[in-house]
Amino acid sequence: MLQTVNFPQAKHTGAAFLGSEPSCLQALFKKPPVERVAAGQSLFFEGDAARHLFEVVEGSLRIFKIISDGRRVITGFLHDGDIVGVSLKSHYLYSAEAITDTKVRRISRKAFDAEVDNSPDLRPEVFARLCDEMAAAQEQMVLLSRKNAAERICSFLLKELIRVTCDGRTDLVIELPMTRLDIADYLGLTIETVSRTMTKLTNKGVIAPAGRHSIRIVKRSALVLLAGNDDGYCDNTVEFAEYARQSRH
Amino acid sequence: MLQTVNFPQAKHTGAAFLGSEPSCLQALFKKPPVERVAAGQSLFFEGDAARHLFEVVEGSLRIFKIISDGRRVITGFLHDGDIVGVSLKSHYLYSAEAITDTKVRRISRKAFDAEVDNSPDLRPEVFARLCDEMAAAQEQMVLLSRKNAAERICSFLLKELIRVTCDGRTDLVIELPMTRLDIADYLGLTIETVSRTMTKLTNKGVIAPAGRHSIRIVKRSALVLLAGNDDGYCDNTVEFAEYARQSRH
DNA sequence: CGTGGTTTTGAGCACTCTCAAATCGTGTGG
DNA sequence: CCACACGATTTGAGAGTGCTCAAAACCACG
């Protein structure tokens, strides 16, 4: 959820937002034609001149950085409604690839900047998105810095659950189009640890597999506790959070 | 280095910057009087209404989040020239404490927003700072996600070295006003691991202690290699980076 | 010179990783 | 429709990095 801002998520942050009316920003992307990006294909590469911004119309993207010896760090997943590149200056800081067959619209950075500069209404919206990106980045740092495997997985599942339920869906099934390797590279774990941890959650009755790329949330409350979030916007009691932790019960 | 933007650092990112002339943004902070914050004192708390922005005039701050069972994550250190709160909306997303005796100036968010809104010259600068924050956050995510203890320490020392050498100093001594615990909470390690890793670096002749809160960089090139940065702006060869890694040589 | 906090050092452990193999799932071709 | 093949995922065993607990050393400060 980094390097992008998702509307549903914005609705759920504690910060101020502008109700639920459609964003003005997205109107900028209405004009250009839809482009298709096949699963696995790249949209752009880290280091490329950042000449365009993209709106995801349909499908999912992963954005990631590769470090010297090939290790990959996924800094975020993008879904429909997300906009890529708001926080960029001259060059892309990360690469973007389609996870599934994806449709995007693009506008040039130049046009975007011009529109935003001329519209006092758009500017707060851009600013709000940047702030949401920063907040998401901070949450991710907390996760990567101090959470164990179970807490990372639960935090991730919970975030995905919140995202889809905001789209109006009320069932507790989340779809995870990305592979286990993607999840691992996003959460700073290995594919095996992701798999093992999910198996444990299944055995505990917290989640249940629902097809290859879907998961049913059986005990949402348990997920919240196990996520071990900071006490910012969730009202876990400290005792429960402690109980939920593996290593220091 | 999150939630703030440091001028010297901005000069060294690959992104565009505005040369070395003093920032217009900082002019906003010229009027208000200097306030003193004693070492250990709080400037504001996570969750508080974010009514002010601060400029660090002298000294250092740590900004951090606390999660449910007391674990602390330091998301950044602030030094003179840094501005706190640009990426904030209604509430502080983190707490801020003085590491040393510190001097700051404050202006209200309202005044700040008004100034920025009225000045087309200031807006790109604010935007650039936000982008630098995001870039720093991403680097930190890479560090926390995929780097081992030695790489984290070396990345940190290198960043500090770059920061101070940008202030015009040419010696290879960096001052670390923060405690080992601060460094540990910033790098996602324990205090013991930080200490042990620094001892090893000393034994290898890469660094040398220079007083309680200072460190001399003896082999800067070794530090760069050991930092295991992504190949974005440093030109390490892949082989060297592999050699430098502990766990997979 | 004593006291308190910080840092270092040590020993053992645990969580996650690595390496390896088995299983599952999907798509393809006979 | 079934068999096969390939990739993705799961499961297992063992090792390692970093953590925990503990104590000693160091330093600043009164």
Side-chain angles (χ1 to χ4, degrees), chain A residues 44-62:
Chain A
F44 54 78
F45 294 93
E46 181 180 354
D48 283 358
R51 274 192 271 271
H52 296 94
L53 283 81
F54 298 87
E55 183 207 5
V56 180
V57 176
E58 186 186 313
S60 301
L61 301 173
R62 57 181 162 249

mmCIF file of all heavy atoms in Angstrom, chain A residues 44-62:
data_model
loop_
_atom_site.group_PDB
_atom_site.id
_atom_site.type_symbol
_atom_site.label_atom_id
_atom_site.label_comp_id
_atom_site.label_asym_id
_atom_site.label_seq_id
_atom_site.Cartn_x
_atom_site.Cartn_y
_atom_site.Cartn_z
ATOM 1 N N PHE A 44 7.053 -0.192 -15.510
ATOM 2 C CA PHE A 44 8.251 0.643 -15.600
ATOM 3 C C PHE A 44 9.296 0.076 -14.658
ATOM 4 O O PHE A 44 9.006 -0.812 -13.850
ATOM 5 C CB PHE A 44 7.941 2.105 -15.273
ATOM 6 C CG PHE A 44 7.262 2.309 -13.952
ATOM 7 C CD1 PHE A 44 7.974 2.263 -12.763
ATOM 8 C CD2 PHE A 44 5.890 2.551 -13.890
ATOM 9 C CE1 PHE A 44 7.349 2.454 -11.548
ATOM 10 C CE2 PHE A 44 5.256 2.746 -12.673
ATOM 11 C CZ PHE A 44 5.988 2.695 -11.502
ATOM 12 N N PHE A 45 10.524 0.608 -14.771
ATOM 13 C CA PHE A 45 11.613 0.076 -13.975
ATOM 14 C C PHE A 45 12.202 1.142 -13.049
ATOM 15 O O PHE A 45 12.209 2.334 -13.389
ATOM 16 C CB PHE A 45 12.728 -0.453 -14.881
ATOM 17 C CG PHE A 45 12.323 -1.643 -15.690
ATOM 18 C CD1 PHE A 45 11.822 -1.483 -16.976
ATOM 19 C CD2 PHE A 45 12.417 -2.917 -15.164
ATOM 20 C CE1 PHE A 45 11.447 -2.591 -17.727
ATOM 21 C CE2 PHE A 45 12.042 -4.026 -15.912
ATOM 22 C CZ PHE A 45 11.551 -3.863 -17.185
ATOM 23 N N GLU A 46 12.678 0.671 -11.925
ATOM 24 C CA GLU A 46 13.398 1.542 -11.003
ATOM 25 C C GLU A 46 14.521 2.249 -11.755
ATOM 26 O O GLU A 46 15.268 1.610 -12.498
ATOM 27 C CB GLU A 46 13.988 0.686 -9.865
ATOM 28 C CG GLU A 46 14.748 1.457 -8.817
ATOM 29 C CD GLU A 46 15.298 0.561 -7.731
ATOM 30 O OE1 GLU A 46 14.987 -0.653 -7.744
ATOM 31 O OE2 GLU A 46 16.038 1.048 -6.864
ATOM 32 N N GLY A 47 14.615 3.547 -11.580
ATOM 33 C CA GLY A 47 15.673 4.306 -12.235
ATOM 34 C C GLY A 47 15.241 4.967 -13.532
ATOM 35 O O GLY A 47 15.879 5.908 -13.984
ATOM 36 N N ASP A 48 14.165 4.475 -14.134
ATOM 37 C CA ASP A 48 13.666 5.104 -15.353
ATOM 38 C C ASP A 48 13.191 6.523 -15.056
ATOM 39 O O ASP A 48 12.771 6.831 -13.942
ATOM 40 C CB ASP A 48 12.476 4.309 -15.922
ATOM 41 C CG ASP A 48 12.926 3.052 -16.636
ATOM 42 O OD1 ASP A 48 14.156 2.827 -16.714
ATOM 43 O OD2 ASP A 48 12.056 2.295 -17.094
ATOM 44 N N ALA A 49 13.269 7.359 -16.064
ATOM 45 C CA ALA A 49 12.707 8.707 -15.919
ATOM 46 C C ALA A 49 11.207 8.574 -15.694
ATOM 47 O O ALA A 49 10.508 7.885 -16.442
ATOM 48 C CB ALA A 49 12.981 9.521 -17.177
ATOM 49 N N ALA A 50 10.720 9.226 -14.667
ATOM 50 C CA ALA A 50 9.302 9.068 -14.289
ATOM 51 C C ALA A 50 8.441 10.032 -15.084
ATOM 52 O O ALA A 50 8.044 11.081 -14.599
ATOM 53 C CB ALA A 50 9.150 9.291 -12.784
ATOM 54 N N ARG A 51 8.157 9.653 -16.298
ATOM 55 C CA ARG A 51 7.424 10.562 -17.172
ATOM 56 C C ARG A 51 5.913 10.438 -17.040
ATOM 57 O O ARG A 51 5.189 11.300 -17.492
ATOM 58 C CB ARG A 51 7.838 10.331 -18.625
ATOM 59 C CG ARG A 51 9.077 11.132 -19.013
ATOM 60 C CD ARG A 51 9.291 11.109 -20.504
ATOM 61 N NE ARG A 51 10.112 9.974 -20.896
ATOM 62 C CZ ARG A 51 11.447 10.020 -20.944
ATOM 63 N NH1 ARG A 51 12.085 11.113 -20.617
ATOM 64 N NH2 ARG A 51 12.136 8.962 -21.311
ATOM 65 N N HIS A 52 5.439 9.353 -16.445
ATOM 66 C CA HIS A 52 3.989 9.162 -16.368
ATOM 67 C C HIS A 52 3.520 8.761 -14.978
ATOM 68 O O HIS A 52 4.260 8.160 -14.206
ATOM 69 C CB HIS A 52 3.537 8.080 -17.364
ATOM 70 C CG HIS A 52 3.778 8.449 -18.788
ATOM 71 N ND1 HIS A 52 4.920 8.073 -19.466
ATOM 72 C CD2 HIS A 52 3.031 9.158 -19.675
ATOM 73 C CE1 HIS A 52 4.866 8.541 -20.696
ATOM 74 N NE2 HIS A 52 3.734 9.197 -20.862
ATOM 75 N N LEU A 53 2.268 9.099 -14.709
ATOM 76 C CA LEU A 53 1.572 8.553 -13.558
ATOM 77 C C LEU A 53 0.532 7.578 -14.086
ATOM 78 O O LEU A 53 0.036 7.738 -15.206
ATOM 79 C CB LEU A 53 0.872 9.644 -12.759
ATOM 80 C CG LEU A 53 1.735 10.521 -11.860
ATOM 81 C CD1 LEU A 53 2.397 11.611 -12.654
ATOM 82 C CD2 LEU A 53 0.908 11.084 -10.727
ATOM 83 N N PHE A 54 0.201 6.600 -13.284
ATOM 84 C CA PHE A 54 -0.753 5.588 -13.716
ATOM 85 C C PHE A 54 -1.889 5.453 -12.713
ATOM 86 O O PHE A 54 -1.678 5.585 -11.505
ATOM 87 C CB PHE A 54 -0.057 4.235 -13.865
ATOM 88 C CG PHE A 54 1.033 4.226 -14.895
ATOM 89 C CD1 PHE A 54 2.326 4.605 -14.563
ATOM 90 C CD2 PHE A 54 0.761 3.846 -16.199
ATOM 91 C CE1 PHE A 54 3.337 4.601 -15.507
ATOM 92 C CE2 PHE A 54 1.772 3.838 -17.158
ATOM 93 C CZ PHE A 54 3.063 4.214 -16.810
ATOM 94 N N GLU A 55 -3.044 5.195 -13.251
ATOM 95 C CA GLU A 55 -4.159 4.815 -12.398
ATOM 96 C C GLU A 55 -4.484 3.360 -12.708
ATOM 97 O O GLU A 55 -4.614 2.985 -13.878
ATOM 98 C CB GLU A 55 -5.395 5.673 -12.664
ATOM 99 C CG GLU A 55 -6.547 5.323 -11.732
ATOM 100 C CD GLU A 55 -7.912 5.629 -12.347
ATOM 101 O OE1 GLU A 55 -7.964 6.017 -13.521
ATOM 102 O OE2 GLU A 55 -8.914 5.464 -11.642
ATOM 103 N N VAL A 56 -4.593 2.548 -11.694
ATOM 104 C CA VAL A 56 -4.960 1.154 -11.904
ATOM 105 C C VAL A 56 -6.477 1.085 -12.062
ATOM 106 O O VAL A 56 -7.224 1.471 -11.154
ATOM 107 C CB VAL A 56 -4.512 0.271 -10.723
ATOM 108 C CG1 VAL A 56 -4.897 -1.183 -10.968
ATOM 109 C CG2 VAL A 56 -3.021 0.404 -10.493
ATOM 110 N N VAL A 57 -6.905 0.613 -13.213
ATOM 111 C CA VAL A 57 -8.341 0.520 -13.487
ATOM 112 C C VAL A 57 -8.860 -0.847 -13.048
ATOM 113 O O VAL A 57 -9.944 -0.968 -12.489
ATOM 114 C CB VAL A 57 -8.615 0.727 -14.992
ATOM 115 C CG1 VAL A 57 -10.091 0.531 -15.309
ATOM 116 C CG2 VAL A 57 -8.145 2.109 -15.422
ATOM 117 N N GLU A 58 -8.037 -1.849 -13.288
ATOM 118 C CA GLU A 58 -8.460 -3.219 -12.973
ATOM 119 C C GLU A 58 -7.221 -4.077 -12.815
ATOM 120 O O GLU A 58 -6.246 -3.892 -13.543
ATOM 121 C CB GLU A 58 -9.337 -3.748 -14.130
ATOM 122 C CG GLU A 58 -9.976 -5.097 -13.887
ATOM 123 C CD GLU A 58 -10.692 -5.591 -15.147
ATOM 124 O OE1 GLU A 58 -11.435 -4.795 -15.753
ATOM 125 O OE2 GLU A 58 -10.465 -6.754 -15.538
ATOM 126 N N GLY A 59 -7.249 -5.007 -11.877
ATOM 127 C CA GLY A 59 -6.106 -5.881 -11.676
ATOM 128 C C GLY A 59 -5.225 -5.417 -10.525
ATOM 129 O O GLY A 59 -5.635 -4.594 -9.707
ATOM 130 N N SER A 60 -4.025 -5.976 -10.459
ATOM 131 C CA SER A 60 -3.120 -5.673 -9.341
ATOM 132 C C SER A 60 -1.686 -5.550 -9.826
ATOM 133 O O SER A 60 -1.262 -6.242 -10.747
ATOM 134 C CB SER A 60 -3.201 -6.772 -8.282
ATOM 135 O OG SER A 60 -4.520 -6.909 -7.798
ATOM 136 N N LEU A 61 -0.951 -4.695 -9.173
ATOM 137 C CA LEU A 61 0.464 -4.511 -9.460
ATOM 138 C C LEU A 61 1.277 -4.740 -8.195
ATOM 139 O O LEU A 61 0.768 -4.598 -7.090
ATOM 140 C CB LEU A 61 0.745 -3.089 -9.946
ATOM 141 C CG LEU A 61 0.049 -2.554 -11.184
ATOM 142 C CD1 LEU A 61 0.374 -1.068 -11.347
ATOM 143 C CD2 LEU A 61 0.495 -3.325 -12.411
ATOM 144 N N ARG A 62 2.546 -5.075 -8.395
ATOM 145 C CA ARG A 62 3.478 -5.044 -7.262
ATOM 146 C C ARG A 62 4.557 -4.020 -7.588
ATOM 147 O O ARG A 62 4.981 -3.910 -8.735
ATOM 148 C CB ARG A 62 4.091 -6.424 -7.011
ATOM 149 C CG ARG A 62 4.816 -7.005 -8.194
ATOM 150 C CD ARG A 62 5.413 -8.389 -7.941
ATOM 151 N NE ARG A 62 5.708 -9.043 -9.223
ATOM 152 C CZ ARG A 62 5.056 -10.093 -9.687
ATOM 153 N NH1 ARG A 62 4.115 -10.666 -8.985
ATOM 154 N NH2 ARG A 62 5.359 -10.602 -10.877
#
